[in-house]
Amino acid sequence: MKTMEWRDGGLVLIDQTRLPLEITYVNCRTAGEVADAIKTMKVRGAPAIGAAAAYGLAMGGLKCESPDKESFLRHIREVSHMLGSTRPTAVNLFWALGRMMGVAENYGPGEVANLKELLLQEAHKILSEDIEMNKNIGKFGEQLIPSGAKILTHCNAGALATAGYGTALGVIRAAHDSGKAIEVFADETRPLLQGARLTAWELMQDNIPVTLITDNMAGYLMSRGLIDLAVVGADRITGNGDVANKIGTYSVAVLCKEHNIPFYVAAPASTIDMNLSSGDEIVIEEREAVEVTTVFGQEVAPRGVKVLNPAFDVTPNRLITAIITDRGIVRPPYKDNLSKLFSS
Ligand code: MRU
């Protein structure tokens, strides 16, 4: 199973809104279709939306007929803006678009046709490098997982949320592959059930033992000694080590603190936003009420009820035991140690 693949001039995405009931694919032929797939969460997860947006931008370039570089640049700046307006929280989206635009803006004299090809090559690179980064996260993170560990995870930070292998699930995969008899507890992750629909499915495909729980069960399990550690992904990590991730992550971190359980965050360097100094500056996406008032299209709340639906929360750095990156494990003080990642 591949999260996404470039095929015959289009981006083929596994439709994550249909999983696990159906394995269907969407074939995006335009940048607008990619933007729609990101907004409607057919593709989701921070690194995956970054890579998809990179292909969207490449497609926008390929479709542009102007042979003049200035008007080509004007066109793809607009495409980049459109793709960047889909989801505000995960920095990987802006990181990937920035990287693509860097290729375009720094292109010297030369044919627009060659620049189009360079942009497509850059999107391929973003995709393949992401898998490599995740394998490195797995290699570092696996050292933190004792044999026999019972591991809690939240949302889906797996192959589906990335170009492949996963971040938090990459750590879990690496621990499993090294022969440690681990067991995973997956929070279902309301409102959109990424834990139940995607994490449980992904782990079962790989024969990694997984038990599904509803979000409100984690505290009980911890109080009974049934969880040894938690590992989650991230949508944006600020310079001081605060972490935005799927709504409910903060509650898991608070519970871990209360029960003296290590709480780890796994993410590639592309998720670290050194331009923001604290989590207070992160824009949290608000999504539609219907995601809360329905489950798989079935109404579960009185019509007209007032709803809040923030898609992410921020876990303050003091609750985080370590951040596992593709460049190594970062421990507090995060302000100093995260900046070291970018200075070497
Ligand atoms: O709203 P989603 O499903 O895109 O949220 C995804 C998460 O919060 C993931 O944990 C995060 O993007 C890390 S994915 C490696």
Side-chain angles (χ1 to χ4, degrees):
M1 168 216 66
K2 278 194 174 143
T3 317
M4 72 187 77
E5 195 171 17
W6 180 255
R7 206 186 295 157
D8 304 329
L11 182 65
V12 180
L13 300 165
I14 190 161
D15 183 349
Q16 300 196 33
T17 62
R18 305 299 308 153
L19 286 172
L21 303 178
E22 277 174 29
I23 302 178
T24 51
Y25 295 86
V26 276
N27 190 350
C28 301
R29 310 293 305 183
T30 64
E33 286 173 11
V34 174
D36 182 68
I38 293 172
K39 212 174 172 59
T40 56
M41 294 176 66
K42 291 187 175 71
V43 60
R44 35 68 49 200
I49 64 177
Y55 278 110
L57 193 101
M59 251 184 243
L62 289 169
K63 291 257 150 62
C64 175
E65 282 172 7
S66 171
D68 164 59
K69 190 178 145 207
E70 277 317 308
S71 60
F72 178 82
L73 282 179
R74 267 199 305 279
H75 173 73
I76 59 166
R77 280 184 205 123
E78 278 167 25
V79 172
S80 173
H81 180 75
M82 187 250 307
L83 288 160
S85 309
T86 50
R87 300 194 72 191
T89 304
V91 74
N92 308 63
L93 177 66
F94 307 98
W95 170 86
L97 289 171
R99 189 165 147 175
M100 295 292 287
M101 286 309 295
V103 169
E105 305 279 1
N106 295 323
Y107 184 67
E111 299 291 315
V112 167
N114 293 341
L115 174 53
K116 289 181 182 178
E117 186 51 35
L118 277 182
L119 287 171
L120 183 58
Q121 291 311 322
E122 193 68 13
H124 291 326
K125 261 198 244 167
I126 287 174
L127 191 73
S128 59
E129 285 172 16
D130 186 59
I131 299 184
E132 277 316 299
M133 289 196 282
N134 293 336
K135 295 239 164 105
N136 285 331
I137 290 171
K139 196 180 70 191
F140 289 120
E142 178 270 315
Q143 299 161 24
L144 299 170
I145 312 291
S147 188
K150 295 185 176 54
I151 305 170
L152 180 70
T153 191
H154 190 72
C155 192
N156 173 265
L160 288 164
T162 61
Y165 202 70
T167 57
L169 294 196
V171 172
I172 285 167
R173 279 200 168 89
H176 176 78
D177 290 348
S178 72
K180 295 173 182 170
I182 54 160
E183 187 173 349
V184 180
F185 290 83
D187 277 348
E188 65 171 351
T189 318
R190 269 285 276 155
L192 294 180
L193 299 169
Q194 289 93 328
R197 296 188 303 102
L198 309 177
T199 295
W201 182 75
E202 234 192 92
L203 293 175
M204 286 173 79
Q205 302 271 312
D206 280 359
N207 292 317
I208 299 176
V210 56
T211 302
L212 177 64
I213 59 171
T214 63
D215 298 322
N216 46 5
M217 294 176 186
Y220 168 77
L221 264 67
M222 289 182 192
S223 73
R224 295 290 162 121
L226 294 173
I227 301 291
D228 298 309
L229 62 102
V231 59
V232 300
D235 286 83
R236 194 184 292 240
I237 301 173
T238 53
N240 67 343
D242 291 347
V243 169
N245 191 50
K246 179 53 54 194
I247 192 78
T249 301
Y250 171 54
S251 318
V252 172
V254 171
L255 283 170
C256 282
K257 189 73 163 183
E258 168 68 15
H259 295 94
N260 242 327
I261 292 169
F263 178 85
Y264 298 115
V265 173
S270 54
T271 304
I272 303 171
D273 183 357
M274 295 304 282
N275 294 320
L276 298 189
S277 53
S278 100
D280 297 341
E281 297 162 51
I282 300 174
V283 177
I284 299 294
E285 177 183 10
E286 281 281 339
R287 293 187 61 88
E288 285 183 20
V290 69
E291 294 179 353
V292 175
T293 57
T294 62
V295 176
F296 271 110
Q298 177 70 51
E299 287 178 271
V300 294
R303 282 191 193 161
V305 68
K306 207 167 131 197
V307 167
L308 277 178
N309 188 14
F312 301 96
D313 58 27
V314 176
T315 300
N317 56 23
R318 64 176 183 279
L319 300 178
I320 299 167
T321 311
I323 299 175
I324 307 159
T325 78
D326 54 302
R327 302 179 186 184
I329 296 169
V330 183
R331 291 186 185 272
Y334 290 115
K335 194 164 177 291
D336 294 341
N337 293 338
L338 283 173
S339 55
K340 280 186 201 150
L341 282 187
F342 295 93
S343 58
S344 49

